[in-house]
Amino acid sequence: MYTGKGFGIVEGKATGKVLVISSCVSANIVVENTNSPSFELERFYKARSEAGVQLQNLQEQSATSLGKDQAAIFEAQTMMLMDEDFEEVVRELIIKKDLSAIQAVKAGGEKIAAIFLGMENEQMRSKAADIFDLSRRLHTILSGQSASVYPPEEPFILLAKDLSPGELMQWRSPQLQGIVLSGGSAHSHLAILAAAMKLPCLISADIESDKTYENKILALDASAGMFYLDPDKALLNRFIQEIKREKIKKPATDNRPFYLKTGEEIEILANIGSPEELDSVLEHHCQGIGLFRSEFAYLGRLDFPSEEELFQVYRRLALGMQGRKVVIRTLDIGADKDAPCFGLAREENPALGNRGIRLCLQRQDVFRTQLRAICRAAAFGNLMLMVPMLISLDELLQVKGLLLEVQEELRQEGLEIPELPVGAMIETPAAVMLSEALAKEAAFFSIGSNDLTQYTLAVDRQNPALAALYRQSHPAVFRMLGEVMRAAKAAQIPCSICGELAHDIAHTRELADMGFRSFSMAPVFVPAFKKYLSEQYLQSASPNDTI
Ligand code: PEP
Ligand code: MG
């Protein structure tokens, strides 16, 4: 048994077989020595044949289980795999640059993807994602790691250097039990997604490069920051029993409202990313959804979701919340949230790059599809729209203009389209400085303290080396919150908070004193937040009973 330590960012225990995600781990697990070019060439051709067989199998499997469109993706990838240009690029890198087969498929993949990304034609640009996928597949085969692209049929734990939210979506399955990363960051979207999926998750874990992990049993205790590779029987049984007990004992969440002395109610809303989380929103008696991270439906996908598919998702939310509010944040792709369907070029500084509303205003075709789906679903409940990553009033006005056009288009099609309040997410210092102007055009504000902290402090929320500097309670961030609240009050619009600061009970009182009455958080955090409120604030059946 090997015992390793790490830092738990989503608590809980899990057991399962290890599945190594090689694209991420290879950098620190696979030790590469370059052999003679002829040897490396032979390795490449062998891997290419194996990849061909895998793709053929995937094509057949997906034709029956996922439909023709998915099967066509694998067919196209097979053609690319056998493409002479791709072969030529890899051959040249091996022969002329003395690269190993692994290095050559990676560099070759990047080279060809860059050519596709530079093309005018949208369809051609999207081929870059297929090339990345292919080169990852070859890399996986060459490094002798698991080459599966379907989640295993038995309980498993993902082990990687780091994972993107898109990669996690790819491995999403009822059999996925937990995540162990040698890298990772507590403030990343991966962390948010893992919490939403209730997956115990360990970052900065002691993954040793000389150990074999693949297919071994791993017992993970993220709450204690420990993992056990090849655990002994007694330990494994103890874990299995505890996990079972944990599942049974679900304490009922407090469903009483909380009021301040002034009689004002404290509103608790939920942050979610998929309709599958609705049960936990209702189970924890949240008063609405304060942040629906709509981009999660696009992550890791090679094709864009259709208007109908999105409409079904939003309608489910509207109906599921039975008239309570549902704030849909418009697509916030970019930075660490990779959606291959956009075929985005690699950026030097992705957090400062083409993300959020900037990308939506550039890709109005994609944005309009989302807006149409939201407008149609708005007839089934109490939906609201929220715009992320704003840095100017003009961006908000452009969104409102597009929305009016889309609403008019739908009305022309004979549909009844209700009004949709449009709120501004305040998560850049520019939005803070412009909050007075934004408040005149926004129906509400919601503070994204995760990004606001990153951009105010100039600290990358993804960088584990800077974790100690990334403080949402930094006085500079709080001054910003004060500014925004002042602007919201002056314009008489509500202002909630939906970043991770919302559930940090060490600062709830300060936030309440500043005027915050609405806190939006992942449902997992609601019980502890309610417990804190029940100790601090009077709860009663009616505001008249308050002291
Ligand atoms: C935020 O930035 O605080 C936020 C809620 O958005 P996300 O974490 O999805 O970037
Ligand atoms: Mg954000």
Side-chain angles (χ1 to χ4, degrees):
M1 176 165 91
Y2 166 70
T3 304
K5 284 201 183 94
F7 180 67
I9 54 167
V10 181
E11 296 203 344
K13 286 196 174 77
T15 59
K17 258 194 188 172
V18 172
L19 180 76
V20 175
I21 305 300
S22 65
S23 63
C24 310
V25 183
S26 54
N28 68 349
I29 288 200
V30 176
V31 182
E32 260 287 284
N33 293 318
T34 313
N35 301 289
S36 71
S38 59
F39 181 83
E40 294 296 336
L41 269 182
E42 202 183 316
R43 281 180 73 203
F44 164 65
Y45 283 119
K46 264 198 193 145
R48 192 173 76 155
S49 329
E50 193 175 330
V53 173
Q54 282 179 9
L55 286 167
Q56 179 65 36
N57 289 341
L58 281 169
Q59 197 183 324
E60 283 160 17
Q61 282 169 28
S62 51
T64 46
S65 60
L66 296 169
K68 269 198 211 135
D69 288 352
Q70 285 294 325
I73 292 172
F74 296 121
E75 194 182 338
Q77 286 194 3
T78 310
M79 280 162 69
M80 286 182 178
L81 180 73
M82 296 304 168
D83 182 70
E84 280 174 11
D85 289 342
F86 181 59
E87 181 185 350
E88 201 40 50
V89 169
V90 175
R91 276 183 71 89
E92 209 175 285
L93 288 167
I94 292 176
I95 296 170
K96 296 201 178 140
K97 298 259 155 97
D98 253 354
L99 295 191
S100 71
I102 288 192
Q103 291 162 334
V105 296
K106 189 164 181 289
E110 276 170 9
K111 195 169 169 186
I112 295 200
I115 297 173
F116 280 121
L117 286 171
M119 292 183 178
E120 278 286 309
N121 183 304
E122 152 84 42
Q123 234 184 339
M124 296 307 278
R125 272 208 313 272
S126 71
K127 291 195 187 303
D130 289 312
I131 288 287
F132 281 132
D133 219 47
L134 256 189
S135 109
R136 199 161 51 216
R137 181 179 303 281
L138 287 165
H139 186 286
T140 303
I141 296 168
L142 284 161
S143 56
Q145 313 277 346
S146 160
S148 162
V149 286
Y150 280 121
E153 298 285 318
E154 55 191 339
F156 68 101
I157 291 180
L158 288 177
L159 186 120
K161 179 165 182 260
D162 203 351
L163 270 185
S164 71
E167 281 167 318
L168 178 55
M169 291 303 274
Q170 189 185 329
W171 294 107
R172 188 162 69 152
S173 134
Q175 300 295 358
L176 175 57
Q177 309 296 315
I179 304 167
V180 177
L181 304 176
S182 59
S185 152
H187 313 291
S188 63
H189 286 100
L190 185 270
I192 289 168
L193 193 54
M197 291 161 75
K198 298 195 185 109
L199 287 173
C201 180
L202 206 64
I203 59 169
S204 307
D206 305 327
I207 298 178
E208 295 192 351
S209 52
D210 58 348
K211 287 209 156 26
T212 308
Y213 291 85
E214 188 73 41
N215 281 327
K216 293 203 166 164
I217 298 289
L218 191 135
L220 166 64
D221 183 351
S223 314
M226 303 294 289
F227 72 91
Y228 307 90
L229 187 71
D230 270 338
D232 56 48
K233 253 198 177 147
L235 188 120
L236 186 62
N237 282 338
R238 180 161 65 75
F239 265 61
I240 292 171
Q241 293 314 321
E242 284 175 13
I243 293 166
K244 262 192 204 152
R245 270 202 298 279
E246 203 50 43
K247 278 195 180 138
I248 299 166
K249 99 167 186 247
K250 265 199 195 151
T253 312
D254 208 328
N255 65 355
R256 294 168 298 176
F258 298 91
Y259 298 98
L260 298 174
K261 281 182 192 164
T262 56
E264 291 165 281
E265 188 175 349
I266 295 189
E267 183 182 48
I268 303 175
L269 303 170
N271 291 354
I272 62 168
S274 78
E276 280 79 59
E277 293 170 71
L278 270 174
D279 284 350
S280 88
V281 176
L282 298 173
E283 186 189 308
H284 292 302
H285 305 286
C286 297
Q287 285 143 292
I289 294 172
L291 170 63
F292 180 70
R293 289 186 163 97
S294 69
E295 59 279 2
F296 286 1
Y298 295 67
L299 296 184
R301 285 183 62 149
L302 296 173
D303 57 336
F304 286 108
S306 66
E307 178 183 322
E308 195 52 32
E309 188 179 337
L310 294 173
F311 166 67
Q312 294 299 343
V313 169
Y314 304 146
R315 194 174 73 130
R316 235 175 108 187
L317 295 176
L319 291 173
M321 290 309 289
Q322 300 157 4
R324 277 168 281 181
K325 76 172 156 200
V326 177
V327 178
I328 300 187
R329 171 173 74 186
T330 58
L331 260 176
D332 188 14
I333 289 292
D336 59 328
K337 287 179 279 194
D338 50 344
C341 47
F342 278 92
L344 291 175
R346 249 173 241 274
E347 295 177 301
E348 279 289 317
N349 292 302
L352 305 180
N354 201 1
R355 64 170 288 200
I357 197 58
R358 305 166 186 181
L359 181 59
C360 286
L361 291 174
Q362 271 180 22
R363 291 298 312 266
Q364 292 192 9
D365 52 332
V366 179
F367 193 34
R368 274 175 184 270
T369 304
Q370 179 178 41
L371 291 179
R372 279 181 63 94
I374 297 172
C375 289
R376 285 173 54 201
F380 297 86
N382 184 11
L383 298 192
M384 297 179 188
L385 206 70
M386 179 159 78
V387 188
M389 287 299 295
L390 287 168
I391 57 162
S392 73
L393 178 62
D394 181 56
E395 288 166 334
L396 181 62
L397 294 176
Q398 281 193 61
V399 173
K400 288 176 76 172
L402 271 176
L403 181 65
L404 284 178
E405 281 176 30
V406 165
Q407 285 174 323
E408 187 46 38
E409 190 177 281
L410 289 165
R411 287 186 186 120
Q412 296 282 336
E413 290 169 25
L415 297 174
E416 282 225 5
I417 301 297
E419 288 309 308
L420 199 61
V422 181
M425 201 162 171
I426 307 292
E427 51 183 349
T428 64
V432 174
M433 302 309 281
L434 298 176
S435 50
E436 226 176 87
L438 289 169
K440 295 198 176 97
E441 288 294 334
F444 60 90
F445 278 168
S446 187
I447 296 195
S449 56
N450 307 340
D451 277 316
L452 186 57
T453 303
Q454 134 162 292
Y455 297 124
T456 303
L457 304 182
V459 174
D460 181 355
R461 65 193 264 195
Q462 295 279 109
N463 188 339
L466 300 178
L469 293 181
Y470 180 89
R471 272 201 303 130
Q472 302 209 354
S473 59
H474 191 289
V477 177
F478 267 73
R479 292 257 324 239
M480 298 238 168
L481 302 190
E483 270 308 305
V484 179
M485 184 49 85
R486 244 189 312 282
K489 277 184 180 161
Q492 299 187 332
I493 60 166
C495 178
S496 66
I497 177 160
C498 64
E500 300 305 300
L501 185 59
H503 66 83
D504 184 348
I505 54 175
H507 300 284
T508 307
R509 182 166 287 281
E510 202 177 342
L511 290 170
D513 288 346
M514 287 167 78
F516 286 93
R517 301 288 176 264
S518 177
F519 299 80
S520 194
M521 62 196 75
V524 282
F525 300 121
V526 171
F529 190 73
K530 287 195 170 184
K531 182 168 178 291
Y532 167 81
L533 291 184
S534 69
E535 288 156 7
Q536 296 292 316
Y537 297 101
L538 187 78
Q539 38 178 345
S540 65
S542 99
N544 299 331
D545 300 340
T546 53
I547 45 174

